[in-house]
Amino acid sequence: MKDKDKDHDTELDRQKLIKMAMAEIDHAYAPYSGFYVAAAVLMNNGRVYTGVNIENASYPATVCAERNGIFKAISEDKRAKIAAIAIVGGKDGKITDYCAPCGVCRQVMREFSEPSSMKIIMAKDVDDYREMTLAELLPYSFGPDALK
Ligand code: THU
């Protein structure tokens, strides 16, 4: 078994995850909305992947920070599940409020996590955040099991 496939201790360091998201916010490409978002995705093998929102002149082609982070993670760690995600966002990159994930991102999280244990950390700062599970943010959800 390769080291990257082992289950690491995913003891959740919330401050570290929030810091990693905050460090990326300036990389967001948001010339149309001016709303910058960054996310740090902790997988159950201990790896962390970050993502930012990337907008497009054809507006619907925009992809949220959360999905960019999750798709990076799944591309690299196909069998891993999401343990937690930290999200920060704000107009012009200034974080003044808690940024909740959009509905599409919640559904993408549903595909690659255990909803009752996956944690969504919406942060204003390293020591100022709200935390909810995916099951709380996406109740009575549709997931892979439905298609078995
Ligand atoms: N956005 C995210 O990146 N994540 C969210 O959960 C909410 C919205 C982005 C998409 C778009 O670039 C901008 O914020 C305004 O909607």
Side-chain angles (χ1 to χ4, degrees):
M1 187 189 269
K2 286 184 193 153
D3 185 53
K4 82 178 187 74
D5 294 330
K6 282 186 198 154
D7 249 12
H8 289 253
D9 179 9
T10 50
E11 179 68 41
L12 184 51
D13 185 341
R14 290 165 176 80
Q15 297 211 337
K16 184 179 161 201
L17 210 57
I18 294 166
K19 251 187 216 162
M20 290 181 79
M22 289 175 76
E24 295 299 317
I25 198 162
D26 287 340
H27 294 155
Y29 176 73
Y32 306 107
S33 73
F35 194 82
Y36 287 46
V37 186
V41 185
L42 173 67
M43 306 303 284
N44 64 358
N45 58 15
R47 291 184 163 203
V48 178
Y49 297 84
T50 59
V52 294
N53 55 327
I54 301 179
E55 298 189 343
N56 194 281
S58 174
Y59 291 7
T62 292
V63 180
C64 292
E66 297 90 324
R67 268 174 292 148
N68 278 328
I70 292 166
F71 291 152
K72 264 163 82 176
I74 299 302
S75 300
E76 301 283 326
D77 277 331
K78 287 181 186 60
R79 283 163 297 163
K81 286 199 164 197
I82 306 166
I85 187 169
I87 307 166
V88 294
K91 200 80 182 164
D92 302 321
K94 291 179 189 68
I95 305 159
T96 56
D97 206 350
Y98 308 103
C99 183
C102 82
V104 175
C105 289
R106 293 178 199 199
Q107 184 62 34
V108 170
M109 292 169 194
R110 173 68 175 87
E111 191 72 21
F112 303 112
S113 70
E114 199 52 64
S116 58
S117 59
M118 185 197 157
K119 288 163 181 81
I120 299 171
I121 300 158
M122 298 157 276
K124 274 210 259 188
D125 210 336
V126 287
D127 49 11
D128 182 0
Y129 57 86
R130 286 188 181 154
E131 181 174 312
M132 297 177 82
T133 64
L134 180 60
E136 288 172 313
L137 281 182
L138 190 70
Y140 199 61
S141 61
F142 186 85
D145 286 355
L147 302 180
K148 277 189 182 145

